[in-house]
PDB file of all heavy atoms in Angstrom:
ATOM      1  N   GLU A 596      35.395  95.804  74.103  1.00  0.00           N
ATOM      2  CA  GLU A 596      36.627  96.289  74.761  1.00  0.00           C
ATOM      3  C   GLU A 596      36.691  97.796  74.725  1.00  0.00           C
ATOM      4  O   GLU A 596      37.051  98.450  75.693  1.00  0.00           O
ATOM      5  CB  GLU A 596      37.851  95.680  74.061  1.00  0.00           C
ATOM      6  CG  GLU A 596      37.979  94.208  74.290  1.00  0.00           C
ATOM      7  CD  GLU A 596      39.416  93.790  74.442  1.00  0.00           C
ATOM      8  OE1 GLU A 596      40.316  94.638  74.255  1.00  0.00           O
ATOM      9  OE2 GLU A 596      39.653  92.634  74.768  1.00  0.00           O
ATOM     10  N   ARG A 597      36.291  98.320  73.567  1.00  0.00           N
ATOM     11  CA  ARG A 597      36.302  99.762  73.458  1.00  0.00           C
ATOM     12  C   ARG A 597      35.372 100.382  74.462  1.00  0.00           C
ATOM     13  O   ARG A 597      35.726 101.320  75.186  1.00  0.00           O
ATOM     14  CB  ARG A 597      35.902 100.174  72.034  1.00  0.00           C
ATOM     15  CG  ARG A 597      36.568 101.464  71.592  1.00  0.00           C
ATOM     16  CD  ARG A 597      36.133 101.875  70.214  1.00  0.00           C
ATOM     17  NE  ARG A 597      36.396 100.838  69.231  1.00  0.00           N
ATOM     18  CZ  ARG A 597      35.536 100.389  68.330  1.00  0.00           C
ATOM     19  NH1 ARG A 597      34.320 100.903  68.259  1.00  0.00           N
ATOM     20  NH2 ARG A 597      35.846  99.432  67.494  1.00  0.00           N
ATOM     21  N   LYS A 598      34.174  99.805  74.488  1.00  0.00           N
ATOM     22  CA  LYS A 598      33.201 100.334  75.427  1.00  0.00           C
ATOM     23  C   LYS A 598      33.728 100.220  76.830  1.00  0.00           C
ATOM     24  O   LYS A 598      33.587 101.141  77.646  1.00  0.00           O
ATOM     25  CB  LYS A 598      31.883  99.527  75.305  1.00  0.00           C
ATOM     26  CG  LYS A 598      31.037  99.912  74.136  1.00  0.00           C
ATOM     27  CD  LYS A 598      29.600 100.179  74.576  1.00  0.00           C
ATOM     28  CE  LYS A 598      28.839 100.879  73.459  1.00  0.00           C
ATOM     29  NZ  LYS A 598      28.701 100.106  72.230  1.00  0.00           N
ATOM     30  N   LEU A 599      34.361  99.057  77.098  1.00  0.00           N
ATOM     31  CA  LEU A 599      34.907  98.821  78.440  1.00  0.00           C
ATOM     32  C   LEU A 599      35.928  99.883  78.793  1.00  0.00           C
ATOM     33  O   LEU A 599      35.897 100.455  79.881  1.00  0.00           O
ATOM     34  CB  LEU A 599      35.555  97.431  78.463  1.00  0.00           C
ATOM     35  CG  LEU A 599      35.586  96.756  79.835  1.00  0.00           C
ATOM     36  CD1 LEU A 599      34.187  96.377  80.229  1.00  0.00           C
ATOM     37  CD2 LEU A 599      36.453  95.524  79.743  1.00  0.00           C
ATOM     38  N   SER A 600      36.817 100.125  77.852  1.00  0.00           N
ATOM     39  CA  SER A 600      37.855 101.121  78.142  1.00  0.00           C
ATOM     40  C   SER A 600      37.237 102.485  78.331  1.00  0.00           C
ATOM     41  O   SER A 600      37.616 103.240  79.231  1.00  0.00           O
ATOM     42  CB  SER A 600      38.885 101.135  77.025  1.00  0.00           C
ATOM     43  OG  SER A 600      38.293 101.619  75.863  1.00  0.00           O
ATOM     44  N   GLU A 601      36.238 102.779  77.483  1.00  0.00           N
ATOM     45  CA  GLU A 601      35.565 104.086  77.628  1.00  0.00           C
ATOM     46  C   GLU A 601      34.939 104.196  78.988  1.00  0.00           C
ATOM     47  O   GLU A 601      35.088 105.195  79.697  1.00  0.00           O
ATOM     48  CB  GLU A 601      34.484 104.229  76.551  1.00  0.00           C
ATOM     49  CG  GLU A 601      35.010 104.729  75.222  1.00  0.00           C
ATOM     50  CD  GLU A 601      33.911 104.775  74.169  1.00  0.00           C
ATOM     51  OE1 GLU A 601      32.726 104.895  74.543  1.00  0.00           O
ATOM     52  OE2 GLU A 601      34.231 104.649  72.994  1.00  0.00           O
ATOM     53  N   LEU A 602      34.231 103.097  79.296  1.00  0.00           N
ATOM     54  CA  LEU A 602      33.560 103.109  80.592  1.00  0.00           C
ATOM     55  C   LEU A 602      34.545 103.297  81.724  1.00  0.00           C
ATOM     56  O   LEU A 602      34.324 104.067  82.647  1.00  0.00           O
ATOM     57  CB  LEU A 602      32.805 101.780  80.758  1.00  0.00           C
ATOM     58  CG  LEU A 602      31.720 101.820  81.853  1.00  0.00           C
ATOM     59  CD1 LEU A 602      30.598 102.735  81.426  1.00  0.00           C
ATOM     60  CD2 LEU A 602      31.186 100.436  82.101  1.00  0.00           C
ATOM     61  N   ARG A 603      35.608 102.544  81.580  1.00  0.00           N
ATOM     62  CA  ARG A 603      36.638 102.651  82.625  1.00  0.00           C
ATOM     63  C   ARG A 603      37.111 104.085  82.740  1.00  0.00           C
ATOM     64  O   ARG A 603      37.211 104.633  83.835  1.00  0.00           O
ATOM     65  CB  ARG A 603      37.807 101.734  82.293  1.00  0.00           C
ATOM     66  CG  ARG A 603      38.622 101.382  83.526  1.00  0.00           C
ATOM     67  CD  ARG A 603      39.713 100.416  83.221  1.00  0.00           C
ATOM     68  NE  ARG A 603      39.201  99.073  83.069  1.00  0.00           N
ATOM     69  CZ  ARG A 603      39.428  98.260  82.049  1.00  0.00           C
ATOM     70  NH1 ARG A 603      40.189  98.650  81.064  1.00  0.00           N
ATOM     71  NH2 ARG A 603      38.903  97.065  82.002  1.00  0.00           N
ATOM     72  N   GLU A 604      37.334 104.680  81.590  1.00  0.00           N
ATOM     73  CA  GLU A 604      37.803 106.070  81.627  1.00  0.00           C
ATOM     74  C   GLU A 604      36.795 106.950  82.307  1.00  0.00           C
ATOM     75  O   GLU A 604      37.117 107.781  83.149  1.00  0.00           O
ATOM     76  CB  GLU A 604      38.039 106.573  80.196  1.00  0.00           C
ATOM     77  CG  GLU A 604      39.424 106.256  79.705  1.00  0.00           C
ATOM     78  CD  GLU A 604      39.588 106.700  78.263  1.00  0.00           C
ATOM     79  OE1 GLU A 604      38.943 107.699  77.880  1.00  0.00           O
ATOM     80  OE2 GLU A 604      40.337 106.055  77.550  1.00  0.00           O
ATOM     81  N   VAL A 605      35.528 106.699  81.882  1.00  0.00           N
ATOM     82  CA  VAL A 605      34.468 107.532  82.470  1.00  0.00           C
ATOM     83  C   VAL A 605      34.451 107.354  83.971  1.00  0.00           C
ATOM     84  O   VAL A 605      34.379 108.323  84.729  1.00  0.00           O
ATOM     85  CB  VAL A 605      33.110 107.160  81.834  1.00  0.00           C
ATOM     86  CG1 VAL A 605      31.971 107.703  82.652  1.00  0.00           C
ATOM     87  CG2 VAL A 605      33.043 107.675  80.414  1.00  0.00           C
ATOM     88  N   MET A 606      34.501 106.061  84.348  1.00  0.00           N
ATOM     89  CA  MET A 606      34.495 105.780  85.788  1.00  0.00           C
ATOM     90  C   MET A 606      35.656 106.445  86.480  1.00  0.00           C
ATOM     91  O   MET A 606      35.503 107.035  87.549  1.00  0.00           O
ATOM     92  CB  MET A 606      34.580 104.264  86.029  1.00  0.00           C
ATOM     93  CG  MET A 606      33.373 103.519  85.557  1.00  0.00           C
ATOM     94  SD  MET A 606      31.890 104.258  86.276  1.00  0.00           S
ATOM     95  CE  MET A 606      31.222 102.859  87.054  1.00  0.00           C
ATOM     96  N   GLU A 607      36.788 106.328  85.841  1.00  0.00           N
ATOM     97  CA  GLU A 607      37.999 106.938  86.434  1.00  0.00           C
ATOM     98  C   GLU A 607      37.783 108.419  86.617  1.00  0.00           C
ATOM     99  O   GLU A 607      38.074 108.980  87.673  1.00  0.00           O
ATOM    100  CB  GLU A 607      39.205 106.711  85.508  1.00  0.00           C
ATOM    101  CG  GLU A 607      39.736 105.298  85.505  1.00  0.00           C
ATOM    102  CD  GLU A 607      40.799 105.098  86.551  1.00  0.00           C
ATOM    103  OE1 GLU A 607      41.283 106.088  87.128  1.00  0.00           O
ATOM    104  OE2 GLU A 607      41.152 103.933  86.803  1.00  0.00           O
ATOM    105  N   ALA A 608      37.238 109.036  85.545  1.00  0.00           N
ATOM    106  CA  ALA A 608      37.033 110.488  85.619  1.00  0.00           C
ATOM    107  C   ALA A 608      36.085 110.816  86.743  1.00  0.00           C
ATOM    108  O   ALA A 608      36.322 111.741  87.545  1.00  0.00           O
ATOM    109  CB  ALA A 608      36.507 110.991  84.283  1.00  0.00           C
ATOM    110  N   GLU A 609      35.001 110.005  86.788  1.00  0.00           N
ATOM    111  CA  GLU A 609      34.015 110.286  87.837  1.00  0.00           C
ATOM    112  C   GLU A 609      34.617 110.108  89.214  1.00  0.00           C
ATOM    113  O   GLU A 609      34.437 110.956  90.102  1.00  0.00           O
ATOM    114  CB  GLU A 609      32.829 109.328  87.655  1.00  0.00           C
ATOM    115  CG  GLU A 609      31.537 109.956  88.167  1.00  0.00           C
ATOM    116  CD  GLU A 609      30.360 109.045  87.900  1.00  0.00           C
ATOM    117  OE1 GLU A 609      30.110 108.753  86.713  1.00  0.00           O
ATOM    118  OE2 GLU A 609      29.731 108.644  88.876  1.00  0.00           O
TER     119      GLU A 609
END
Side-chain angles (χ1 to χ4, degrees):
Chain A
E596 291 217 354
R597 211 182 303 132
K598 281 231 167 63
L599 207 70
S600 67
E601 276 177 25
L602 198 68
R603 202 176 283 128
E604 273 177 31
V605 165
M606 294 307 236
E607 286 270 348
E609 209 176 300

